[in-house]
Amino acid sequence: ITGPLSPDQVYSEGQPYSFFLTKVHGIESQYNQVSVMDIKDILSPIMGTLQASCQFNYMFEIPWLIKQYPEQFRSKPLLLVHGFTAGNKTALEIEATKYSNIKFCQARLEMIYGTHHTKMMILLYEEGMRVVIHTSNLVEKDWYQKTQGMWISPLFPKLKKEENKSNYSRGDSPTNFKKDLLDYIGSYKAYQLKDWQQHIADHDMSSAKVIIIGSSPGRHMGENKHKFGHMRLRKVLNTHGPQKDFVKSWPVIGQYSSIGSLGATKDVWLATEFLQSLATVEGSSCVPLASIDLKLIFPTKDNVRCSLEGYPAGASIPYSINVAKKQTYLHSYFHHWISKGRGRSRAMPHIKSYCRPSPSSQEVAWFLVTSANLSKAAWGALEKKGSQLMIRSYELGVLFLPKFFGSKKSIPVSSDINDTDKLLLPYDLPLKPYQKEDRPWIWDIAYKELPDCNGNMWCPS
Ligand SMILES: O=C(O)c1cnc2c(S(=O)(=O)O)cccc2c1O
């Protein structure tokens, strides 16, 4: 029985994928050791001597957040990047009044219904810089009993002093991580991010093995059409994706914690435009879609009822009845949330992940962890005969491709925590399809037949 490892030991054991889940309170300790990091581990002095940090996110509880930093780092400059306006923005600024080290950057959201979903920590240390791209809000309940994911970068050393540091391409990785991260942050066009763009430019990110997949609000056309959203994924898979014949019978899995309005039939967006991107193979993005099996993981109402949090877990799974009733065709795609291997079947998913697994479930052609739910707002929808991609929200994720982890074909996966040399998935494979009587969790209807694990019913007002 291994005692609790220190954060840097957990970090090194999690290499080379560096994909971690958050700690879940109330499950056996063995499921919180391998490939698991708590927010206090990420911010631990063992991971670096903090000088300043920047937190991109959607929800913030500022007093709680400050307490997650080690005491000696709590007064370091902290920039919060959010998408709030009006009253919510004022409330956030009031909550931060007593913290003179906190500054704000309000991400512009010009597209109605857009949100700032992106969750990223940029940690500037004396020793260098680290980037964490993840799925958790900076509120206590997001780090307590949910299944959340994160990619933690290596420690990026500062670039040696040189006059031509201004050109961003110095210190980039084979996956163009640095350039793509700067392009993403550049899309905010916010002066408050200027210093952080310079900090990124000043660091050597050549050790980054993942590919940035971001979304930025707007109507993207011309050569920008493939810069963000599902068209970005399509472009990346066209360039670096699996060989057509190798993945012929391999399904595509989408796993997320909310669903947008996807259209009256599967052919409006889900099984056409969106699946076309996820099913893209090297050299050709036109694959006969009828041959591709799309599987969607979304918690059932019983998954939520029996979860550690009980029905209140559903407050973070905002699938509304008005949207659900228009797209019952999704039922045939749905699969249960089951995560026995990670001890997280009762820790409801707030992580979002997508992958292309082999029929045997032993390997994947790629794996993506992201803030992006199953929605057009997050992934984008093609307009004007496919000449432009309209995205409403900011999203950010990282894609794991075999070729950047020393393999030609695939990445070995498992959900058994003893397989420490494989990429550990957040859920069990093979998946379990919904049966006739199964229903997806819907957050704005009442559940009064069966009590949850705390003996409560769910009566949303
Ligand atoms: O993590 C996020 O980015 C995110 C965004 N939105 C949420 C909503 S709602 O804004 O869609 O009503 C309701 C409950 C949880 C949410 C959440 O966790």
Side-chain angles (χ1 to χ4, degrees):
I1 300 280
T2 53
L5 299 175
S6 66
D8 58 325
Q9 287 172 319
V10 173
Y11 177 78
S12 347
E13 303 252 316
Q15 298 316 303
Y17 306 110
S18 210
F19 170 61
F20 301 88
L21 300 185
T22 53
K23 177 180 177 182
V24 172
H25 296 251
I27 64 175
E28 291 166 46
S29 62
Q30 62 172 323
Y31 296 113
N32 281 325
Q33 259 144 29
V34 172
S35 280
V36 169
M37 294 281 264
D38 195 4
I39 185 164
K40 288 188 171 173
D41 298 324
I42 299 169
L43 299 173
S44 159
I46 298 176
M47 298 299 282
T49 313
L50 198 73
Q51 287 181 331
S53 61
C54 180
Q55 296 279 2
F56 292 66
N57 218 299
Y58 170 74
M59 265 187 239
F60 304 80
E61 281 165 358
I62 291 176
W64 172 84
L65 171 59
I66 296 295
K67 288 195 196 79
Q68 306 316 303
Y69 285 81
E71 212 267 327
Q72 65 270 36
F73 299 154
R74 287 177 190 164
S75 53
K76 300 295 180 187
L78 168 58
L79 179 64
L80 302 183
V81 184
H82 66 89
F84 289 130
T85 57
N88 289 328
K89 175 180 175 182
T90 309
L92 196 63
E93 289 166 348
I94 290 172
E95 201 184 352
T97 312
K98 71 179 226 191
Y99 303 97
S100 58
N101 59 315
I102 293 182
K103 287 202 177 94
F104 293 96
C105 171
Q106 176 195 346
R108 58 182 177 77
L109 277 162
E110 283 138 7
M111 312 292 288
I112 186 165
Y113 305 124
T115 40
H116 185 258
H117 272 168
T118 289
K119 298 167 174 71
M120 171 164 59
M121 305 184 185
I122 309 180
L123 308 172
L124 182 64
Y125 302 129
E126 283 169 14
E127 304 89 348
M129 171 182 273
R130 202 184 292 276
V131 177
V132 181
I133 293 172
H134 64 107
T135 65
S136 307
N137 284 294
L138 294 173
V139 300
E140 185 163 21
K141 74 172 164 66
D142 265 49
W143 296 81
Y144 189 60
Q145 292 186 313
K146 296 179 188 299
T147 299
Q148 302 268 22
M150 66 186 91
W151 171 78
I152 304 179
S153 81
L155 176 66
F156 294 132
K158 194 139 195 250
L159 280 169
K160 303 280 170 295
K161 200 111 195 69
E162 244 174 56
E163 64 293 342
N164 68 342
K165 209 185 285 179
S166 60
N167 76 334
Y168 284 152
S169 65
R170 252 164 47 81
D172 209 339
S173 74
T175 64
N176 283 337
F177 178 84
K178 179 168 172 175
K179 178 192 171 299
D180 292 336
L181 181 59
L182 285 167
D183 279 355
Y184 172 75
I185 296 175
S187 77
Y188 287 67
K189 299 186 178 65
Y191 68 89
Q192 301 94 330
L193 293 173
K194 206 177 162 322
D195 292 351
W196 283 100
Q197 287 169 279
Q198 188 58 52
H199 288 318
I200 291 169
D202 291 350
H203 285 80
D204 173 1
M205 301 191 161
S206 52
S207 56
K209 295 180 172 59
V210 294
I211 292 190
I212 291 269
I213 306 285
S215 289
S216 189
R219 288 185 166 83
H220 306 287
M221 58 194 83
E223 83 272 356
N224 289 333
K225 197 174 96 173
H226 293 87
K227 214 173 165 189
F228 299 116
H230 76 75
M231 293 304 282
R232 161 73 175 167
L233 183 57
R234 188 179 297 193
K235 174 86 184 282
V236 168
L237 290 176
N238 194 306
T239 311
H240 300 293
Q243 313 245 306
K244 185 170 189 157
D245 297 345
F246 183 65
V247 293
K248 207 151 42 138
S249 58
W250 295 27
V252 169
I253 296 181
Q255 175 275 312
Y256 42 82
S257 61
S258 183
I259 310 173
S261 185
L262 306 180
T265 71
K266 67 180 179 62
D267 296 313
V268 170
W269 181 83
L270 181 73
T272 51
E273 180 180 323
F274 183 64
L275 181 56
Q276 182 75 70
S277 291
L278 271 71
T280 294
V281 292
E282 189 180 41
S284 82
S285 63
C286 285
V287 174
L289 294 181
S291 66
I292 309 282
D293 201 2
L294 173 62
K295 298 171 186 277
L296 302 178
I297 301 173
F298 189 68
T300 64
K301 67 176 178 27
D302 287 330
N303 284 154
V304 175
R305 181 173 61 81
C306 301
S307 72
L308 293 163
E309 298 172 88
Y311 284 125
S316 295
I317 308 175
Y319 191 24
S320 97
I321 182 65
N322 289 328
V323 173
K325 71 189 180 190
K326 294 185 299 185
Q327 48 199 35
T328 52
Y329 60 85
L330 289 177
H331 194 279
S332 64
Y333 291 93
F334 282 155
H335 294 75
H336 293 242
W337 168 262
I338 300 175
S339 176
K340 291 198 185 82
R342 304 300 302 271
R344 285 165 168 77
S345 292
R346 297 184 63 210
M348 286 302 99
H350 189 261
I351 185 173
K352 293 86 176 152
S353 67
Y354 301 78
C355 75
R356 183 122 201 228
S358 62
S360 70
S361 308
Q362 305 294 312
E363 54 196 328
V364 294
W366 51 265
F367 179 81
L368 171 69
V369 58
T370 172
S371 63
N373 275 308
L374 188 63
S375 76
K376 294 183 190 175
W379 285 104
L382 287 168
E383 292 180 336
K384 296 210 180 327
K385 293 189 178 20
S387 66
Q388 61 187 41
L389 185 70
M390 194 275 280
I391 296 176
R392 298 182 187 278
S393 298
Y394 290 91
E395 308 284 351
L396 193 58
V398 292
L399 180 69
F400 299 82
L401 281 166
K403 69 162 62 168
F404 299 111
F405 289 91
S407 157
K408 273 229 160 315
K409 294 271 183 184
S410 65
I411 291 176
V413 294
S414 169
S415 52
D416 177 342
I417 51 177
N418 298 308
D419 289 338
T420 51
D421 55 340
K422 298 183 179 179
L423 175 66
L424 291 182
L425 295 174
Y427 49 77
D428 294 352
L429 285 179
L431 303 180
K432 179 184 176 189
Y434 277 26
Q435 305 303 302
K436 279 219 174 342
E437 64 282 6
D438 289 317
R439 292 288 173 273
W441 167 259
I442 288 172
W443 79 326
D444 51 359
I445 60 176
Y447 300 101
K448 300 184 207 172
E449 299 77 33
L450 292 170
D452 68 14
C453 62
N454 301 318
N456 298 318
M457 301 299 187
W458 181 253
C459 309
S461 51

